[in-house]
Amino acid sequence: MRPDQSAGTGEARAMSTSRGPSVRQRRLAAELRRLRERRGLTGDEVAERLTWSTAKVSRIENARTGAKIGDVRRLLDLYEIDGARHEDLISLALDAGQRGWWEDYRDLPSSLADFIALESEATATREWGSTVFPGLLQTESYARNVIAGWSSLATLPPQELERRLDVRMRRRELLDGPLELSAVLDEAVLQRRIGDQKVMREQLEHLCLMTERPNVTVQILPLGIAHAVLAESFILLEFSPVHDITFPDIVHTESLTISHFADEAVTYMYRLAYSTLAGQALDAAESRRRIAEAKDAW
């Protein structure tokens, strides 16, 4: 693992800027593979009938390359898919070809770009924050101090720091849409000084305002209780079916390195961890009062 960046903490320089497949591309690839298998065809047989290379079939089915609309149409014809299902998959292929706003930031580390692509298509996110406030709930001043602290480890130039900050602020726009954010925060996060007192007061006031939104729930885990789960910060992304095609939950862990996990057993473990933390935390109303008290203390 190499130092990269964290969705809620900071971003550091990475050598690679390659882009991984979007959720839409992965959904399409998985469905095309399922349709081939349902027809009882091998990748070699598909390649032979369409006069393609076997490698091309494999790249499309593993989302290692974007599927062109013409190629998708040929595959659907071969698999005898017509009617509404055909139109749904063509619509998905068209959506999969759209560029994300983050791709305009060509210097983004690949792992950060991959995470933003996943986050942008999630229906819900459940987050445990043990160090800093969630990235989607950070003010510009707070985020600047967090990112600046990480840039000292990775010698991030000032211009790139500003671009990382811009990306962080643009990510917050997800909460203006249908995304549901549920977060459990260690009470220590309210007391951990990032920047000066003005930065902390502004951050806590912003957090209070955000908790009034119907799609945002924040719970505080008090320091004074016996903690049943000790875990580093993590984010669990959940996805609703699109054109009846499901996509697995993704766990994103945060530390000096960054990781994504889609394994069902791993995501289930993190879901249990989140449920335990949320069960021990204060309810939303009491948490809001605790946040207001912390703001006044700064």
Side-chain angles (χ1 to χ4, degrees):
M1 300 290 289
R2 51 164 168 59
D4 272 334
Q5 74 295 312
S6 171
T9 51
E11 288 89 7
R13 182 192 296 271
M15 296 303 294
S16 172
T17 57
S18 61
R19 298 294 186 259
S22 69
V23 173
R24 288 165 291 180
Q25 290 170 329
R26 296 183 196 191
R27 288 183 199 266
L28 178 63
E31 183 63 6
L32 291 174
R33 182 171 60 252
R34 188 188 71 81
L35 292 174
R36 173 181 60 75
E37 292 171 347
R38 193 180 71 177
R39 294 292 298 174
L41 297 171
T42 66
D44 288 338
E45 289 170 335
V46 170
E48 181 179 359
R49 296 190 188 190
L50 298 180
T51 64
W52 291 352
S53 68
T54 303
K56 177 175 178 176
V57 177
S58 176
R59 287 195 301 270
I60 290 175
E61 290 189 356
N62 289 284
R64 291 199 300 269
T65 186
K68 297 178 180 178
I69 298 299
D71 291 342
V72 174
R73 291 187 186 279
R74 294 188 68 188
L75 287 168
L76 295 180
D77 288 344
L78 177 62
Y79 303 150
E80 300 181 5
I81 305 300
D82 54 19
R85 190 57 175 166
H86 183 280
E87 295 308 310
D88 282 347
L89 290 171
I90 292 299
S91 294
L92 181 59
L94 289 169
D95 289 343
Q98 299 298 313
R99 285 170 53 84
W101 61 262
W102 55 90
E103 294 189 62
D104 292 334
Y105 296 82
R106 298 185 180 278
D107 59 339
L108 281 184
S110 59
S111 49
L112 176 58
D114 289 347
F115 173 77
I116 294 173
L118 292 167
E119 181 185 59
S120 70
E121 297 187 50
T123 306
T125 176
R126 305 184 189 281
E127 182 163 354
W128 158 242
S130 61
T131 308
V132 297
F133 295 99
L136 295 180
L137 298 176
Q138 291 179 9
T139 64
E140 182 174 344
S141 297
Y142 185 93
R144 182 185 299 277
N145 280 275
V146 171
I147 296 172
W150 275 73
S151 71
S152 65
L153 300 179
T155 61
L156 198 67
Q159 184 176 4
E160 289 191 34
L161 189 153
E162 291 300 318
R163 287 174 64 78
R164 298 292 190 271
L165 181 62
D166 187 36
V167 168
R168 175 69 56 85
M169 295 300 100
R170 290 198 64 174
R171 283 178 51 216
R172 299 194 311 177
E173 296 175 8
L174 286 172
L175 294 179
D176 295 329
L179 179 69
E180 295 183 5
L181 169 63
S182 300
V184 178
L185 303 181
D186 194 308
E187 188 176 18
V189 175
L190 307 182
Q191 303 173 16
R192 181 172 294 111
R193 178 168 172 170
I194 303 293
D196 58 24
Q197 289 182 313
K198 180 182 178 182
V199 169
M200 290 301 299
R201 282 196 299 270
E202 181 186 62
Q203 173 61 59
L204 288 162
E205 183 175 358
H206 175 71
L207 185 61
C208 284
L209 291 174
M210 293 301 293
T211 60
E212 295 176 3
R213 295 194 177 196
N215 60 328
V216 175
T217 302
V218 176
Q219 295 178 256
I220 302 301
L221 185 66
L223 287 169
I225 68 169
H227 287 43
V229 175
L230 297 176
E232 62 186 353
S233 296
F234 64 83
I235 301 172
L236 178 64
L237 298 176
E238 301 174 353
F239 304 85
S240 293
V242 173
H243 298 301
D244 294 326
I245 302 173
T246 59
F247 189 77
D249 294 346
I250 298 289
V251 170
H252 164 86
T253 61
E254 298 192 352
S255 60
L256 282 174
T257 55
I258 186 171
S259 300
H260 306 313
F261 302 101
D263 180 83
E264 185 175 355
V266 174
T267 56
Y268 180 68
M269 178 181 68
Y270 277 94
R271 183 177 295 281
L272 287 179
Y274 182 85
S275 296
T276 300
L277 291 163
Q280 285 196 292
L282 302 175
D283 64 26
E286 182 59 33
S287 293
R288 191 177 295 111
R289 286 192 287 271
R290 189 67 62 94
I291 294 167
E293 291 171 359
K295 175 179 71 69
D296 293 339
W298 282 102

